[in-house]
Amino acid sequence: MSAVNDTPSQVSVFLLTGIPGHEGAHLWIAIPFSFMYAISIVGNAVIIYFIKTDPSLHEPMYIFLSMLAVTDIGISIATIPTILGTFLFNYREISLNACLAQLFFIHFLSKIESSVLLTMAFDRFIAIRNPLRYASILTPLRIAKMGLVFVVRGVVIAFPFPLLLKRYQYCRASVLSHCYCLNQDVMKLACSDIRASSIYGMFVAISTVGLDSLLIFLSYVMILKTVLGIASRTESLRALNTCVSHLCAVLLFYVPDIGLAVIHRYGNSSTHLLKILLGYVYLLVPPLMNPIVYSVKSKHIRARIIKAFVK
């Protein structure tokens, strides 16, 4: 393995970090990580399969859920090689180009997931506020156009990250904080002026995660206002129950994402272990929990699963 030192030469290989101080337990840590990846990919694939094959699930709510599942599978596939490679085989090296490609896909898919979660909040608002026009507002063609907008938005936002990082010189100790690549982690290793990346990263955080989470919050304010206007208590609880699974998905995604961004920007050495653990929560927990939450809370998906696996 190549030595890590401070030289003026251009660094072309980064070293990934597992959990510092627990290198001897990496193989044991890899076991639950492998199970989490397996459950994430299989669980989301099952959700996509049921939604695709069951005509009763061809509703806007479930189409958005299938988009969320596709995104979660993509995030899992983008991070499996480096995370399991580090913990299972102690293979820590990653080239600059491979690192930039990985961070592009992580940021690209994360921005798509944020867009999908925002649209799912809008979907719940329409379903509760105006149920008679629900199907006419969220038509399949309109949903397909939304999906295309999500992809274009993700590419436009994520593409400048590797483009800016590619221009920098890396001549410092090339050890990353995680066993995958993030923009805020890589740019700290540059010995060039990183103000452009720092400013752009802050702009993206405010205009995507900040704006999307604010709009989701406002959607739920409107949903709550609508529900409180329903005379029947039973109907009110039923309407709110349809939002529980989405609220869980929102919290699972935004809390680690915002926490990780804050720690990377303002954290000190005492928060290093917290930063590493939160980084794994940010990438591993939402793809793992989303299919479980929706399978438990959505009676239609739950009934489809029971029908498929229980005779």
Side-chain angles (χ1 to χ4, degrees):
M1 187 173 293
S2 59
V4 180
N5 49 31
D6 260 347
T7 68
S9 60
Q10 167 73 0
V11 172
S12 59
V13 174
F14 295 129
L15 296 183
L16 304 167
T17 301
I19 300 180
H22 298 80
E23 287 80 6
H26 276 185
L27 187 59
W28 294 105
I29 297 172
I31 295 174
F33 276 14
S34 299
F35 276 111
M36 291 172 73
Y37 272 123
I39 294 172
S40 299
I41 293 174
V42 172
N44 284 291
V46 167
I47 293 288
I48 294 169
Y49 173 77
F50 285 150
I51 293 174
K52 183 183 180 195
T53 57
D54 191 338
S56 67
L57 298 178
H58 292 177
E59 297 179 7
M61 171 184 174
Y62 299 108
I63 295 175
F64 289 129
L65 176 56
S66 66
M67 292 181 183
L68 188 67
V70 170
T71 306
D72 284 338
I73 290 177
I75 290 176
S76 296
I77 292 175
T79 57
I80 280 178
T82 54
I83 291 182
L84 292 188
T86 300
F87 284 100
L88 280 175
F89 308 109
N90 196 33
Y91 187 79
R92 298 177 56 202
E93 292 189 355
I94 183 171
S95 68
L96 174 61
N97 290 333
C99 186
L100 296 181
Q102 185 183 52
L103 74 84
F104 166 79
F105 281 107
I106 290 175
H107 288 286
F108 163 66
L109 293 167
S110 296
K111 298 308 174 281
I112 292 180
E113 183 150 350
S114 182
S115 300
V116 174
L117 290 172
L118 172 59
T119 311
M120 291 174 81
F122 174 74
D123 165 82
R124 291 297 84 208
F125 171 69
I126 296 296
I128 294 173
R129 180 70 178 268
N130 203 343
L132 297 179
R133 295 189 58 206
Y134 177 64
S136 62
I137 293 174
L138 294 175
T139 62
L141 179 60
R142 192 164 290 166
I143 293 173
K145 290 180 179 178
M146 288 179 180
L148 180 60
V149 170
F150 298 162
V151 173
V152 172
R153 183 197 190 205
V155 171
V156 169
I157 291 172
F159 187 70
F161 285 130
L163 197 64
L164 289 169
L165 294 173
K166 183 72 173 177
R167 299 169 54 220
Y168 298 151
Q169 295 288 318
Y170 298 92
C171 53
R172 297 176 183 171
S174 55
V175 181
L176 298 171
S177 301
H178 308 285
C179 49
Y180 56 87
C181 297
L182 287 177
N183 174 70
Q184 55 266 46
D185 202 13
V186 175
M187 71 178 184
K188 291 179 180 178
L189 302 180
C191 52
S192 307
D193 185 355
I194 61 170
R195 280 179 297 179
S197 284
S198 184
I199 293 171
Y200 182 71
M202 179 65 76
F203 166 76
V204 168
I206 294 173
S207 63
T208 57
V209 176
L211 180 61
D212 290 356
S213 57
L214 176 62
L215 292 176
I216 290 173
F217 173 75
L218 294 176
S219 296
Y220 272 98
V221 169
M222 298 300 295
I223 287 172
L224 187 60
K225 182 180 178 182
T226 303
V227 168
L228 292 176
I230 299 176
S232 170
R233 178 179 174 83
T234 303
E235 290 297 324
S236 299
L237 292 176
R238 186 179 301 170
L240 285 175
N241 190 54
T242 64
C243 301
V244 172
S245 51
H246 177 255
L247 273 173
C248 291
V250 168
L251 293 175
L252 287 169
F253 177 78
Y254 284 107
V255 172
D257 190 8
I258 294 173
L260 188 62
V262 170
I263 289 177
H264 264 290
R265 187 167 292 272
Y266 303 109
N268 50 41
S269 58
S270 63
T271 61
H272 185 64
L273 182 59
L274 177 62
K275 176 170 63 176
I276 293 172
L277 295 177
L278 196 58
Y280 293 125
V281 171
Y282 162 65
L283 284 182
L284 297 177
V285 173
L288 171 70
M289 294 304 300
N290 284 340
I292 296 175
V293 170
Y294 276 97
S295 298
V296 171
K297 293 301 298 179
S298 173
K299 65 179 182 179
H300 294 96
I301 293 179
R302 186 171 67 248
R304 185 67 180 83
I305 292 174
I306 293 173
K307 180 180 178 182
F309 294 105
V310 180
K311 298 297 183 183

